Amino acid sequence: TQVVNGKSTKTVTKQNIPYDAVVVGSGHRAKPSDASRSDMFFALQDRNIVTQSFQGKPNQKPVPSALTLSDLYDVTTAAPNDKASEIAFGQKRGWYYNFSRKGEKSLSSATIVQGEVYFTSFVPGSDASVNQCLSSGKGYLYKKNLHKGTNGYRTDFLYAGELVLDTPQLVIPPAAQPDDPNAKAPTP
């Protein structure tokens, strides 16, 4: 807020802080059927991207403190979508998504492509299921904007089937051959 000639004006600016993104989901891979835990997916901002030494000695840069959940923006119900939430988001060091289904967890690595993070989750089947051997659980695919955690699909996730999904893979199909027999097809 700035006061000029007795009038108060408020200025909101944007900042560009470079960072490396570190994305990771929590989940007990050795026990995929465990439904007693509450797991999440995290996109963390590592802002110490310039090569430097943190030894914590006098006259040197202090060792950065560890990030905690309060340092992250919760995008579980809504990513930043107005000026107030954008300002709150700018004060955070990344975001997290709290898996909402009982026992839902991340069991594989995430993939980042063109500013979008793709990650999978697994929800174990119910112990009370009559056909438990036929239905071991359900797999879901998420796509979120790497920077703000906004949904990349119209829904929060895509249902992938009754399976444990692996790391999402980027697939580039071969180029279609042109209809003109005299046209040159691109060479790999």
Side-chain angles (χ1 to χ4, degrees), residues 12-87:
V12 177
T13 60
K14 292 188 176 191
Q15 58 182 344
N16 259 343
I17 299 175
Y19 65 88
D20 284 339
V22 178
V23 294
V24 64
S26 66
H28 194 181
R29 189 170 177 85
K31 294 187 178 183
S33 296
D34 180 17
S36 65
R37 300 166 44 101
S38 178
D39 290 300
M40 302 176 187
F41 185 83
F42 304 89
L44 311 172
Q45 295 178 6
D46 178 2
R47 296 182 180 174
N48 299 302
I49 59 173
V50 177
T51 302
Q52 53 193 315
S53 176
F54 298 105
Q55 296 179 8
K57 296 178 182 175
N59 300 327
Q60 291 184 341
K61 286 191 172 188
V63 175
S65 58
L67 295 178
T68 64
L69 207 55
S70 65
D71 295 317
L72 306 174
Y73 192 91
D74 183 357
V75 300
T76 306
T77 55
N81 57 7
D82 60 19
K83 191 176 281 191
S85 62
E86 293 276 348
I87 291 170

Side-chain angles (χ1 to χ4, degrees), residues 3 5 20 27-29 45 68 72 85 91 93-94 102 111 119 121 130 142 144 151 161-162 169 178 182:
V3 179
N5 297 330
D20 284 339
H28 194 181
R29 189 170 177 85
Q45 295 178 6
T68 64
L72 306 174
S85 62
Q91 297 169 347
R93 299 286 302 271
K102 183 176 179 170
T111 300
F119 59 98
S121 73
V130 175
Y142 291 82
K144 299 229 177 246
N151 286 338
E162 295 183 355
Q169 302 292 314
N182 296 322

Side-chain angles (χ1 to χ4, degrees), residues 93-106:
R93 299 286 302 271
W95 55 265
Y96 70 92
Y97 178 84
N98 194 4
F99 291 124
S100 59
R101 292 173 205 80
K102 183 176 179 170
E104 187 172 11
K105 61 190 60 65
S106 176

